[in-house]
Amino acid sequence: LNPQSHPQARAREYTRAVTAAKLDRMFASPFLGELKGGHVDAVSSLAICRTNLCPVVTGAVDGTVRIWDLQNRRMVASLDGAHSRNVSGIVFGNGIDGQFYSCGEEGIIKAWGIYPKGQYITADVDDSDDEDKKPKAKRRNFKSSQDDDAESPHGPLNVYRLPSSRNNSYANAFHSIDHHWSESQFATASSDAAVHLWDPERSTPITTFNNLWGSDDTVTTVRYNPAERDLIAHCSSDRGIGLHDTRTASALQKTIMGMKSNCLEWNPMEPYMFVVGNEDYNAYTFDMRKLSRPTTIFKGHVGAVMSVGWSPTGTEFVTGSYDKTIRIFSTRKEGGTASHGGYGSNGTARDIYHTKRMQRIFCVGYTLDHKYILSGSDDTNIRMWKARSSEKIGQLSAREESSLQYRQALVQKYSHLPEVKRIHKARRVPKFIKKETEQAMVQKEKRRRKETNVI
């Protein structure tokens, strides 16, 4: 535009940026509701289907597993007594049959089906009318390895346990489970300081990796790499994070953190990167090609990070912490990658979610459409949040979409200016978190002064 015909254009644009930042905070309402009913005890594990938007499975400390319909936010089935102790891990298979696996601290793995009596729905075409061929719902069965007198219509379809745990199953408690991304295979982490690989057709592990780097500590987390078919990452109680190859049963790399890592997840879009949540209140992203130091440290929590979950886009992840808050961290901005965050990526959360009644958070995860976040906490509830707190739910008109993009561009353009930055980053947090954060800053400054005074 001609500056002579449009005087003060930059000033008007700055005023619009301030207004856009205020509107974004005014319409911020991230909490959508809870999945009706929740659990009776604390929610310890959560699994979101990799091939379907609706099914969600959760496990509780009392051993109960529940299946949820995410679209209607209601419970489909409650598998009471699925395990006799805490359900430490749940994972979906990679097939369309809706099969999932759960492991418990009593040393047992069980296979279940989302659809009752081993049935699932597929689309079939009705050939009765050639002019109007409509897909018709048809039930198909898959065989179960369990007898017909199963405890529930959903299973268990099969039961797995370690041979050494026949007499004392509590000695080899399972702490984590993950399914292969392309093959019919899953891995578990157990208290016997080993990672076990399982074939669904066999009741005992096909391969066992013990004596990992000479450590006898419990393996707490195990995850398959989405791209490298034979690469597994795990965390252990000796504060270690390790990689090993399942083809040669060899240890590849290992790094030792200052404190124990509670969770680990691979980036689904850039699978050479992974994030870990640590007991030191921070989350760390690593490049598997160089484990000597993290690529970025994400700070802000005042409690141990108990769970992490990547967005399907691979550009951000969510963390759930012992401090009763959920934080969303962006790993990169425009012009950046997961290993190099681009301009302005400083390791701070872009958003913080909390409620008055929500307690310690043990599991979090994104839905496949990148629009919602699920969290399970110590208060027995599974909550549903918007991934973008001020985003409108529903279809946007062309005018609304254009206006929204314009406001976002204005805020991004003027985010370096004090007033826009203050409004855009303002978040209300609970009082005890604010006090803990202030105390942590004082302690950090004291350590800095002490180090500078050393002669």
Side-chain angles (χ1 to χ4, degrees), residues 12 15 29 32 86 149 169 175-176 219 235 304 310 359 385 396 403 410 433 450:
R12 288 198 304 272
T15 303
S29 180
L32 295 176
N86 174 33
D149 54 349
S169 60
H175 297 281
S176 179
V219 182
C235 301
W310 279 100
Q359 299 301 311
W385 313 78
L396 296 177
S403 176
L410 284 177
I433 292 182
K450 184 177 180 180

Side-chain angles (χ1 to χ4, degrees), residues 44 137 367:
S44 58
T367 57

Side-chain angles (χ1 to χ4, degrees), residues 320-361:
S321 173
Y322 222 64
D323 63 6
K324 309 174 188 178
T325 63
I326 297 171
R327 295 181 186 244
I328 304 174
F329 296 91
S330 297
T331 56
R332 66 171 187 254
K333 293 189 177 181
E334 293 296 330
T337 62
S339 57
H340 177 68
Y343 179 77
S345 180
N346 54 6
T348 58
R350 72 162 175 84
D351 224 329
I352 306 170
Y353 296 164
H354 58 89
T355 66
K356 290 184 178 180
R357 295 185 178 183
M358 186 166 65
Q359 299 301 311
R360 297 167 295 190
I361 301 164

